[in-house]
Amino acid sequence: MQTVPLAQVLAFVLGPVVLSFLIWVLHHFHVDGERFRTSQYHQNEATTENDHIPERTSYSYPGRTAVVTLAILFTSLAASAQSNSADDPPKAANAVDLEKKVEDLQNELDQLKKQLLELHKAHTRTSPITQETTTSATLEQPKPAIDTVPKSSLSLPLGATVNVILDGYYEYNTNHPAGRVNSLRAYDVLSNAFSLNQAGVIFELPTAPEEGRRFGGRVDLQFGQATATLQGNPANENRPDIYRNVFQAYGRYVAPLGKGLTVDFGKWASSLGYEANYTKDQLNYTRSFYFYFLPFYHMGLRANYQLNDKVAFNYWLTNGTQQTEPFNSFKDEMFGLNLTPTKAINWTVNYYLGQEHPDVATSSNCGTAPLQPGLCFTPIADPQNGKTHIFDTYASWQVTPKFLLGGEADYVIQRQWANAAPGKSSAPSHTDGGAVYASYQLTPSSSLAARTEYLSDRGGLFSGTTQALKEVTTTYTHHFGDGFQAMLEYRRDWSNQAFFPRGTAGAHVNHQDTATLGLVWWYGGKKGAW
């Protein structure tokens, strides 16, 4: 009986054990290195906001190399022992077993090499903590890469923010109208003048149901020319002055029903129509005819229920169209549906029912009763009771990350009397038409947008004259940095009637051309559209 060499015994008996131990050491080299790098990252993050994760230290990779070298050594020893004993007849019976053990060791070595290769790749890969989060296509105007919220913004506890905006312009009107007044313009009301469109301050406390905070609120204070357009029209408001600078003021509660039933109480900007108030979030500087025609704000209750990620319902119960204090007892209603079939498409459908005829008139003959100024009224005998119906729909399609398409269609009908009678006409006045929008992101800091619209004003609900209005607008926007943008715009309005004033002699023509430079500054912690 022949003695088995000691090297062979050590190779076959201790080889797998040592190899397993080396794999365990390799694993802990990786885990401890990751813990070390993570702790280093958080320490560095506390001192500077722009540092990247430190490079992986050099001790781990040579350590892994040494482990692999030792593993190969033991494998070679086993193979050598098998080779030396291949010619020994007493050991020939064990050749199959030795071959199997060597094969097992080789498989373990291959696995070890694979693990080392994966760890080496991880060494050169960027940590997930520093990778940018990509967002899906939004339904707003494509934003430049530099448009981010500054970390030093006016943020308060519980995620509350204070935000400010300044919006001004200079405009030139080729008609040179008397008093430099532009016709049918909501915000850019003056020409050949440096003008302050609006200065605003916005305070917002967002809700956070996932954190247990179901209440919130918002207040928007507004000053400048736009204030006179949006707020306090004596035709709608009995006491316009006391609410003139309060653009929005509402409280919010999210009821724990399904995905959350959001209920607001107060005064809020109307979401009828494609366009909104704050210029920084718009494709064009000037506003469309439909923005000027449709309601600006409402006072009352509104609710939103998100059925799922694709369907949401809206309901409003309000004092009326642009009525902070009502001038009749009728309560207007709005029923809305919002659809998001894909992340790139958003479609809104609204129906609004109102009664925009007062049942009282202001008076100064209320005796000596202690009343607030403006609360002296005289009832109107047999007031008009005709209804206003607004059918409004608009949609956005983010065709590509750089290219956006949008569209709006509206049909508005209003009657003086609900039912015809002698001296009471129920003949309707109609305003209908639509607008098309397009925007393309030229560079990360600039974009080009266009709008065209058609408004048929039968009965003069909008302009006071029965006419067909059209306009086309082209706007170039450049972002100089987060919080400052300039908008250069050309717009042409025209009609089938000689409606637009020209010169100071009282002449009227069927068109109006303007060139505008708009400048907008903003600052605050509120993300997204304001």
Side-chain angles (χ1 to χ4, degrees):
M1 182 174 183
Q2 194 167 356
T3 304
V4 178
L6 179 59
Q8 181 179 343
V9 173
L10 291 176
F12 293 136
V13 175
L14 298 181
V17 175
V18 173
L19 186 59
S20 299
F21 172 74
L22 293 177
I23 293 174
W24 177 85
V25 170
L26 177 64
H27 170 72
H28 281 271
F29 262 115
H30 172 64
V31 171
D32 292 341
E34 289 297 327
R35 290 174 179 168
F36 171 76
R37 281 184 296 277
T38 302
S39 63
Q40 284 294 101
Y41 170 73
H42 288 299
Q43 290 175 6
N44 292 345
E45 188 183 49
T47 58
T48 175
E49 64 178 284
N50 294 322
D51 286 351
H52 297 291
I53 295 178
E55 293 294 329
R56 295 175 180 264
T57 52
S58 59
Y59 69 84
S60 58
Y61 189 74
R64 298 184 195 116
T65 305
V67 170
V68 173
T69 303
L70 289 174
I72 295 173
L73 177 61
F74 270 91
T75 305
S76 301
L77 181 60
S80 175
Q82 181 184 13
S83 175
N84 292 336
S85 60
D87 298 330
D88 195 345
K91 297 174 186 176
N94 297 328
V96 176
D97 293 339
L98 293 177
E99 224 175 280
K100 186 177 183 305
K101 290 181 179 180
V102 171
E103 184 178 353
D104 292 341
L105 289 173
Q106 185 63 45
N107 290 337
E108 292 182 11
L109 179 60
D110 291 340
Q111 293 178 3
L112 183 63
K113 290 180 180 179
K114 183 178 180 181
Q115 292 181 17
L116 180 61
L117 181 60
E118 291 177 352
L119 292 175
H120 178 62
K121 290 180 179 179
H123 170 71
T124 59
R125 205 165 45 221
T126 304
S127 170
I129 300 176
T130 61
Q131 290 177 351
E132 286 189 8
T133 302
T134 58
T135 57
S136 60
T138 63
L139 300 175
E140 303 171 10
Q141 178 182 3
K143 299 294 182 182
I146 59 176
D147 189 15
T148 57
V149 178
K151 292 187 176 181
S152 58
S153 57
L154 305 178
S155 297
L156 300 174
L158 300 179
T161 60
V162 176
N163 312 274
V164 294
I165 188 169
L166 176 64
D167 178 356
Y169 67 94
Y170 179 87
E171 186 161 293
Y172 180 78
N173 189 327
T174 59
N175 285 351
H176 304 287
R180 296 159 297 282
V181 178
N182 299 320
S183 296
L184 302 181
R185 299 295 180 88
Y187 283 175
D188 53 317
V189 295
L190 293 180
S191 61
N192 195 23
F194 297 102
S195 302
L196 177 62
N197 179 18
Q198 62 178 305
V201 180
I202 302 98
F203 168 80
E204 184 179 42
L205 174 63
T207 58
E210 66 281 359
E211 299 175 6
R213 187 174 71 254
R214 295 187 170 275
F215 63 90
R218 174 168 173 164
V219 175
D220 293 38
L221 301 178
Q222 186 182 69
F223 308 88
Q225 291 177 356
T227 309
T229 298
L230 294 181
Q231 312 296 319
N233 187 335
N236 299 83
E237 296 280 14
N238 294 317
R239 301 192 294 168
D241 292 337
I242 64 175
Y243 300 106
R244 190 177 299 278
N245 299 112
V246 182
F247 175 47
Q248 295 191 103
Y250 60 84
R252 171 168 292 178
Y253 179 74
V254 180
L257 178 64
K259 288 183 173 290
L261 175 64
T262 302
V263 180
D264 295 339
F265 171 81
K267 179 182 180 183
W268 66 84
S270 179
S271 58
L272 295 174
Y274 186 87
E275 299 181 15
N277 174 57
Y278 293 109
T279 303
K280 78 175 193 67
D281 303 315
Q282 307 307 303
L283 302 179
N284 308 104
Y285 185 82
T286 64
R287 299 303 189 275
S288 67
F289 292 142
Y290 285 99
F291 175 82
Y292 200 0
F293 175 53
L294 295 173
F296 295 129
Y297 63 87
H298 307 272
M299 173 72 191
L301 284 168
R302 68 176 175 181
N304 170 271
Y305 182 72
Q306 192 78 32
L307 182 64
N308 52 44
D309 294 337
K310 298 182 181 297
V311 181
F313 299 98
N314 295 293
Y315 175 73
W316 303 348
L317 184 64
T318 75
N319 286 338
T321 297
Q322 286 147 208
Q323 297 174 47
T324 311
E325 295 180 353
F327 55 45
N328 62 40
S329 297
F330 189 86
K331 292 295 177 280
D332 292 8
E333 294 180 277
M334 197 285 291
F335 304 86
L337 172 65
N338 181 259
L339 301 174
T340 310
T342 70
K343 292 182 179 180
I345 298 176
N346 186 277
W347 182 24
T348 299
V349 180
N350 299 315
Y351 167 65
Y352 187 92
L353 172 64
Q355 180 178 306
E356 311 310 319
H357 305 294
D359 60 11
V360 294
T362 57
S363 175
S364 59
N365 186 22
C366 289
T368 58
L371 298 173
Q372 283 190 7
L375 290 183
C376 182
F377 301 110
T378 298
I380 296 177
D382 196 14
Q384 295 178 354
N385 60 359
K387 301 297 188 294
T388 298
H389 305 268
I390 301 175
F391 301 90
D392 167 59
T393 182
Y394 49 90
S396 294
W397 179 23
Q398 194 75 53
V399 183
T400 71
K402 291 185 176 182
F403 184 44
L404 173 73
L405 285 176
E408 174 181 357
D410 295 283
Y411 180 80
V412 181
I413 181 171
Q414 180 173 293
R415 290 179 170 86
Q416 292 182 338
W417 301 91
N419 299 297
K424 297 180 180 181
S425 172
S426 62
S429 295
H430 298 269
T431 297
D432 55 79
V436 177
Y437 302 81
S439 175
Y440 186 78
Q441 195 74 37
L442 300 172
T443 70
S445 59
S446 62
S447 62
L448 186 65
R451 175 187 65 214
T452 184
E453 65 178 318
Y454 171 81
L455 187 149
S456 176
D457 196 12
R458 289 171 289 173
L461 278 179
F462 170 52
S463 63
T465 300
T466 296
Q467 60 179 325
L469 291 164
K470 306 169 188 176
E471 66 96 355
V472 61
T473 302
T474 303
T475 309
Y476 172 78
T477 301
H478 184 80
H479 292 259
F480 291 93
D482 179 35
F484 176 46
Q485 73 180 28
M487 305 177 79
L488 187 62
E489 180 172 289
Y490 167 75
R491 172 170 172 170
R492 178 178 177 84
D493 306 327
W494 71 96
S495 170
N496 61 349
Q497 303 292 328
F499 177 81
F500 299 97
R502 183 168 188 171
T504 58
H508 287 76
V509 294
N510 65 353
H511 64 275
Q512 174 179 251
D513 296 85
T514 59
T516 308
L517 172 63
L519 301 173
V520 187
W521 292 262
W522 68 93
Y523 183 78
K526 180 173 173 56
K527 299 179 180 180
W530 287 12

